[in-house]
Amino acid sequence: MKSSFLAGVFLGLFAATGAAWFYPWVDQARATSLTTVAHNGGRVEDFVVRFPVDRIATTGTPEMGLRARPYPEGADLPSEMASSLLVEHFKLRDIEGNVIGIAARHSFPAEDTGETAWSLTIPRRGTMRLIGASDPGGLDRELAAAGRIDGRAWSGEVAMMLGGDESVSGRVAGGSDEFDGLGGSYTERWAITGVSEAGDLRGTINLRTTSEFPR
Amino acid sequence: MRVLGPLLLGLVAGFALVALGIYFNPYTADSGAIAGVNARVLSYGSPLSEGIAFTHSGRTRLPLHPQSIPELWEETISDSMLSVIVLHDQDDAPVGVASRVSQFSESSEMLTRGIIVDDDWLVTIAGEGSFYVSADSNLWPFLKETLIPVWYLDRPWEGPKNYRPTAGPAEGGSAIVTGATGNFIARQGTAVESYQISEFDKERGPGDVDARFFLQWSDTTTSLAAE
């Protein structure tokens, strides 16, 4: 009887310790990474953001243009913020349109143009970091040139690539887990097909990353 | 029966001993107070009420902020939370914004690490630049002392409480900071975070929170490890 009890205690100790160590307390869903191999080496992966369905929260100082309008209502920056700033958050999709992560984009004016930092967090894969150019008022100018008038609904086609006429918008600056140490470049293309009366955009952002691990 | 009864009793006793060990495990305890460090201190309030935005899958009791913010309901992101917070300097002036994506880490285990949350921050200090923070935060002390007793065991909250959740991935239990743009380009550093929770509501969760983010670039001298 005593030996049965002791055997039970040891069995319980081993089973519970094993469970505490090996039990998968967290088991997240993982999206398949849709990458292709570039002709000159490296891997290419496209990410897509669709407006308006993928917008989570956006805010900025008024001089940052249409996109700085707080969304949802109440997501306001403090009025005391001294310098210009635009922060945007989106659901991130792969090239097939599946939601695979969360993207944060911060941009602010710097010297002639502006700077942008992206953080693309993809559960079970890590966070990819992109650093590049921004043109805070660029989209507003392009829309105005295409006939959009403030306060009125507009539809049409505006396409722009961040970073001007260069072939890249910025660089891939590594990240965490799967993306740790990764380097390369990316392009950021906006295709806008409409703006509501309230200023909500309709369209897509396409981020094409071309990256590799340093040899 | 003469064998099975004591065996089952022993099994329960073994499980109970391990459960007690896990509850009082010093390896998964809070990392302790932060003192005497030469760091830039940025403070912020509860993202649930004082931040710009806070969202999650919609399956937890934590309130969304603003209430109309989209939920992260898709399967691949439903274990994630997004907080967008305003950072204040030591004069309490708003100086920047942090976007923080948190998700439970697969490195969580209850013997040596605790319930680990992977925190990926993108921080912009207006007029200065942006930087990234990669942090492992141990949620177990908060769950053990506050969330589980109050929310699930219906016990009164014994606060205020102080927590230093940052547990890595850098040596000394610090987060890794990587400069991105502006004045922070090509700089590396470490950071730790501390919370003082002065109010915890049974319905709404953390109320009055004083959170501090201790940021130290590697060109300064002291360590942010707990002292």
Side-chain angles (χ1 to χ4, degrees), chain B residues 121-202:
Chain B
W121 300 58
L122 171 56
V123 181
T124 296
I125 306 295
E128 294 187 49
S130 305
F131 57 87
Y132 296 101
V133 181
S134 177
D136 294 341
S137 301
N138 180 11
L139 214 60
W140 175 236
F142 170 69
L143 294 176
K144 181 175 74 172
E145 295 173 6
T146 297
L147 202 78
I148 293 172
V150 177
W151 273 10
Y152 299 105
L153 304 179
D154 209 18
R155 285 177 15 202
W157 181 56
E158 296 173 1
K161 294 276 187 187
N162 291 291
Y163 296 104
R164 177 203 187 274
T166 315
E171 281 182 24
S174 303
I176 296 172
V177 181
T178 308
T181 65
N183 300 345
F184 306 122
I185 288 178
R187 294 179 79 184
Q188 292 283 329
T190 54
V192 293
E193 199 184 8
S194 75
Y195 299 117
Q196 184 181 54
I197 302 176
S198 307
E199 183 193 336
F200 189 90
D201 186 89
K202 187 166 165 43

Side-chain angles (χ1 to χ4, degrees), chain A residues 66-148:
Chain A
L66 186 64
R67 283 153 51 202
R69 194 174 61 87
Y71 174 85
E73 197 177 332
D76 300 309
L77 269 185
S79 55
E80 304 94 326
M81 194 70 79
S83 300
S84 300
L85 187 65
L86 172 64
V87 294
E88 299 165 284
H89 305 87
F90 311 106
K91 292 177 182 175
L92 186 70
R93 296 175 188 267
D94 62 18
I95 193 67
E96 292 183 350
N98 307 301
V99 172
I100 57 166
I102 298 167
R105 183 185 195 275
H106 288 197
S107 49
F108 64 95
E111 297 185 0
D112 295 340
T113 57
E115 291 183 304
T116 289
W118 281 92
S119 172
L120 313 180
T121 302
I122 304 171
R124 289 193 70 177
R125 291 184 61 194
T127 296
M128 181 187 265
R129 297 165 180 170
L130 311 176
I131 300 169
S134 76
D135 183 1
L139 184 64
D140 293 52
R141 286 196 303 275
E142 294 281 343
L143 288 169
R148 179 189 171 256

Side-chain angles (χ1 to χ4, degrees), chain A residues 34 46-58 71 88-101 103 118 189-194 200-207, chain B residues 70 73-74:
Chain A
L34 301 175
D46 285 288
F47 302 103
V48 178
V49 173
R50 293 179 184 161
F51 286 105
V53 291
D54 292 340
R55 193 169 48 157
I56 302 172
T58 300
Y71 174 85
E88 299 165 284
H89 305 87
F90 311 106
K91 292 177 182 175
L92 186 70
R93 296 175 188 267
D94 62 18
I95 193 67
E96 292 183 350
N98 307 301
V99 172
I100 57 166
W118 281 92
R189 295 175 193 279
W190 288 62
I192 301 300
T193 56
D200 295 325
L201 298 171
R202 189 172 68 239
T204 58
I205 306 172
N206 182 279
L207 290 168
Chain B
W73 60 267
E74 291 86 351

